């Protein structure tokens, strides 16, 4: 029977409570590799926790990891919340993971992605009192993101997802994901508990450098938070920024891309992105950047996202 495992280090000195997650998706193994490396270093005394609590989860979704696939029964990083009536394996995972998230104040969630290219970090919204994702820790989260060692930051996920949900509902689309809560993953749940955190996409799934990006990020995070003995805080990276502003659903399996798009491809205004099954063309509304294109998306699900440059991380 599959079980869940976390490893915790507690310093006698009070300090931040940091949770580091790996393998939320079963085919994204770089975070787990990096976390196990850190556990070995701590256990051998090569580094020491100076203050606070550090909790490490190498494999957040054991079923997906066992299968070597993104999901076990479903996507653990969507609609992440406890349930009194767990049915799918990820329901049980959420019932274990959500209380763990709530016990901490900072989250570093380590992922990888399908296409090539350098790693990037996804952060939450600006401080706001809105209904979708109220937040008061923008400055802390942004400084944390800049300390991790990657050169690009992306934001705007949940508000853009919520706008897509509204369009689906207005169009009469039915399905189990017609709720803003479907867009809630580890970081969104963390913010709802009063904490803050980021998702670090460390590189392509099989890229040999991805585990090193993940390991460096964990060490940088600990140093930034003052949790590593004798470690100097990392120099904040100069980061490019992108704000997600549009999600486009696939209306039919006959919808097709004009080319094999990859995340972070530049798309000039007016360029053909794809064509609907009925022949309608989808063109870039302005100079945009392609994000998360999915040529296997089912009808009614997200097909691709568009982003525009943001000065937020300068």
């Amino acid at each position: 029977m599959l079980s869940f495992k976390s490893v915790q280090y507690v310093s006698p000195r009070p300090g931040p409570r940091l949770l580091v997650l790996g393998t939320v998706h079963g085919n994204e193994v770089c975070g787990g590799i990096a976390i196990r490396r850190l556990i070995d270093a701590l256990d051998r005394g090569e580094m020491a926790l100076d203050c606070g609590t550090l909790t490490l989860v190498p494999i957040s979704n054991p079923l997906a990891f066992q299968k070597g696939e993104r999901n076990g029964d479903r996507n653990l990083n969507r609609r992440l919340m406890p349930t009194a009536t767990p049915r799918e394996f990820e329901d049980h995972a959420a019932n274990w993971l959500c209380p763990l998230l709530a016990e901490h104040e900072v989250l570093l969630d380590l992922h990888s992605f399908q296409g090539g290219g350098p790693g990037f970090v996804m952060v939450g919204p600006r401080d706001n009192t809105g209904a979708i994702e109220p937040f008061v820790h923008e400055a802390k989260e942004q400084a944390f993101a800049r300390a991790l060692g990657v050169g690009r930051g992306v934001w705007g996920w949940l508000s853009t997802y919520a706008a897509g949900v509204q369009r689906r509902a207005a169009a009469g689309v039915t399905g189990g994901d017609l709720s803003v809560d479907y867009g809630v993953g580890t970081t969104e749940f963390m913010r709802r508990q009063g904490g803050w955190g980021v998702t670090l996409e460390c590189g392509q799934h099989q890229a040999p450098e991805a585990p090193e990006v993940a390991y460096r990020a964990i060490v940088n995070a600990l140093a930034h938070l003052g949790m590593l003995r004798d470690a100097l805080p990392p120099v904040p990276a100069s980061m490019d920024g992108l704000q997600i502003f549009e999600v486009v659903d696939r209306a039919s399996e006959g919808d097709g891309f004009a080319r094999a798009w990859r995340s972070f491809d530049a798309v000039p205004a007016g360029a053909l992105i794809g064509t609907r099954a009925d022949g309608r063309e989808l063109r870039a509304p302005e100079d945009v950047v392609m994000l998360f294109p999915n040529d296997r998306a089912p009808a009614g699900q997200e097909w691709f996202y568009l982003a525009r440059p943001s000065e937020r991380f300068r």
Side-chain angles (χ1 to χ4, degrees):
M1 179 178 292
L2 294 170
S3 58
F4 305 106
K5 176 182 177 180
S6 64
V7 178
Q8 188 170 86
Y9 299 85
V10 181
S11 169
R13 295 181 59 201
R17 301 183 309 278
L18 172 64
L19 174 63
V20 183
L21 300 180
T23 326
V24 167
H25 295 131
N27 60 340
E28 300 179 17
V29 298
C30 62
I33 294 170
I35 290 170
R36 285 189 289 269
R37 178 181 167 187
L38 183 71
I39 291 170
D40 288 343
L42 289 165
D43 288 349
R44 289 196 301 266
E46 294 176 4
M47 60 179 66
L49 195 66
D50 191 49
C51 68
T53 299
L54 171 64
T55 305
L56 302 168
V57 181
I59 301 174
S60 302
N61 191 334
L63 177 59
F65 178 72
Q66 183 185 72
K67 293 169 65 177
E69 298 175 1
R70 179 176 175 83
N71 305 330
D73 294 326
R74 64 171 177 85
N75 190 341
L76 178 60
N77 218 27
R78 297 288 185 272
R79 202 185 287 275
L80 181 70
M81 58 190 64
T83 176
T85 55
R87 288 186 287 271
E88 297 167 309
F89 180 81
E90 280 78 2
D91 295 337
H92 295 281
N95 281 350
W96 171 73
L97 190 58
C98 288
L100 194 61
L101 285 160
E103 292 171 3
H104 294 77
E105 60 180 310
V106 190
L107 168 67
L108 175 59
D109 190 3
L110 301 165
H111 287 252
S112 58
F113 48 89
Q114 179 70 30
F120 62 96
V121 59
M122 294 188 68
V123 305
R126 293 191 178 277
D127 288 344
N128 72 95
T129 57
I132 294 175
E133 195 175 17
F135 196 50
V136 296
H137 297 301
E138 175 190 345
K140 290 181 180 179
E141 194 172 276
Q142 193 160 306
F144 185 68
R146 292 185 65 209
L148 299 180
V150 295
R152 178 182 283 133
V154 179
W155 65 287
W157 156 257
L158 194 57
S159 59
T160 301
Y161 187 84
V165 166
Q166 290 179 342
R167 282 194 297 274
R168 288 189 199 117
V173 175
T174 58
D177 66 346
L178 290 179
S179 165
V180 174
D181 284 341
Y182 187 75
V184 172
T186 58
T187 53
E188 291 79 20
F189 184 87
M190 189 72 170
R191 295 183 194 113
R192 288 184 173 187
Q193 308 311 302
W196 48 278
V198 302
T199 297
L200 182 68
E201 299 281 357
C202 300
Q204 200 273 340
H205 294 325
Q206 285 82 40
E209 66 274 13
E212 182 62 35
V213 172
Y215 184 78
R216 181 184 63 197
I218 304 171
V219 173
N220 283 357
L222 289 165
H224 172 77
L225 295 170
M227 296 175 69
L228 272 189
R229 186 169 301 164
D230 301 323
L232 295 175
V235 177
S238 174
M239 294 173 65
D240 295 327
L242 289 173
Q243 180 183 4
I244 306 172
F245 72 94
E246 181 71 274
V247 56
V248 177
D249 292 339
R250 198 175 190 190
S252 161
E253 292 187 1
D255 296 351
F257 285 125
R259 49 165 282 193
W261 295 107
R262 297 170 63 181
S263 280
F264 304 110
D265 281 343
V267 189
L272 182 64
I273 295 174
T275 305
R276 296 291 192 190
D278 61 7
R280 286 179 295 135
E281 295 181 341
L282 297 178
R283 294 186 176 272
E286 57 186 84
D287 291 342
V288 295
V289 174
M290 174 66 70
L291 286 179
F292 317 132
N294 183 3
D295 59 3
R296 298 181 181 179
Q301 299 289 317
E302 310 108 284
W303 191 17
F304 60 90
Y305 286 78
L306 298 178
R308 57 171 65 100
S310 168
E311 296 297 316
R312 177 172 173 180
F313 301 96
R314 295 296 183 183

